[in-house]
Amino acid sequence: MMNLKVNLLSLIALGATVSFSFIGRTYAEPRVAFAEKGRLVLSDDFSQAPSDHKVRDISESWQRKLSFGRWTSGASGGVKVEYVPKQGHGPVLTYLGSAKDVIIECEFRLPRDAVPNRHFRIFLDHPDYRGHTIAAWANVSSVFQPEGLTLLHNPKTKDKKVIEEARFGPVALKLKPGKWHKIRLELVGKRARVTIGDTVVEGEHPSLKTTKIKIGLNPGKAGGELRNFRVWEVKPKNQ
């Protein structure tokens, strides 16, 4: 097992010191579970591809909104995602509800050709600021983030000024062109972990221990395909 360790970092935010830690790891052997799945709270197999920009109920507790891009039924199941240049933003599909300690899984497939702007991102947002409470990036060729697997905490003020930023990673990531990959994002208290295959990034920040009201799925401008999006509550340790 190979471990990558980075020293504790600190950032100045609003006059206060915010400390956080980072551990990036790649594994070649079974690892201890970070969190266990409890109740399934959100599921989308994309059997009905989003076709407009209205907020739609998809369960008693969750709504779905197509924010950007063109999302159509995929040839191999799931949904095909394309960038729409006149919208001025990469494809985004958002789910509105309530999430705190959760496990999120989704399968994604990036374009086979070696083109710019290939990535897949899952993000969760807090209601009291712009930016993202946490975002997990699987990046091949987008310029927004370093290549590899990264966790990023980057809340912003209403005028889009970054309040603080905590970056966990990147860790080198190998994605086979044109193949399906599963991403798993786990949030427990102030800890987060993202896993793709045997590549893992873990991070810790006090601001992660909060209720989030939005989950977003964001392929890059190169597009791609998604399927089997699921969200579970974290199973309490005493069960």
Side-chain angles (χ1 to χ4, degrees), residues 57-166:
D57 293 331
I58 60 172
S59 72
E60 293 183 0
S61 303
W62 286 89
Q63 297 175 310
R64 185 179 75 177
K65 180 184 178 183
L66 170 58
S67 298
F68 300 100
R70 182 181 298 110
W71 300 62
T72 56
S73 296
S76 57
V79 65
K80 180 180 179 181
V81 187
E82 298 173 280
Y83 171 56
V84 179
K86 67 179 182 180
Q87 293 178 354
H89 195 289
V92 176
L93 187 65
T94 55
Y95 296 85
L96 307 174
S98 178
K100 191 172 184 181
D101 292 347
V102 292
I103 297 171
I104 302 172
E105 290 183 356
C106 187
E107 294 178 68
F108 67 95
R109 180 161 66 179
L110 300 179
R112 183 181 299 274
D113 295 337
V115 296
N117 299 311
R118 286 186 296 167
H119 76 254
F120 178 61
R121 176 176 66 136
I122 298 177
F123 62 86
L124 291 92
D125 293 350
H126 185 271
D128 291 344
Y129 51 68
R130 303 174 76 101
H132 304 306
T133 303
I134 195 73
W137 287 80
N139 185 24
V140 175
S141 60
S142 291
V143 298
F144 306 106
Q145 295 295 328
E147 293 181 8
L149 187 60
T150 300
L151 283 170
L152 180 65
H153 168 69
N154 66 330
K156 303 175 183 178
T157 61
K158 291 183 179 180
D159 60 0
K160 300 184 179 181
K161 180 180 178 181
V162 175
I163 301 172
E164 57 180 292
E165 182 174 291

Side-chain angles (χ1 to χ4, degrees), residues 1-5 22-34 149 171-173 186 191-203:
M1 180 172 64
M2 178 180 66
N3 292 337
L4 300 173
K5 295 185 179 180
F22 157 77
I23 305 174
R25 298 188 178 123
T26 57
Y27 290 85
E29 59 189 54
R31 57 190 179 275
V32 177
F34 184 74
L149 187 60
V171 170
L173 177 67
E186 302 164 80
R191 301 169 62 203
R193 173 192 276 181
V194 59
T195 305
I196 298 178
D198 292 327
T199 304
V200 180
V201 175
E202 298 177 0

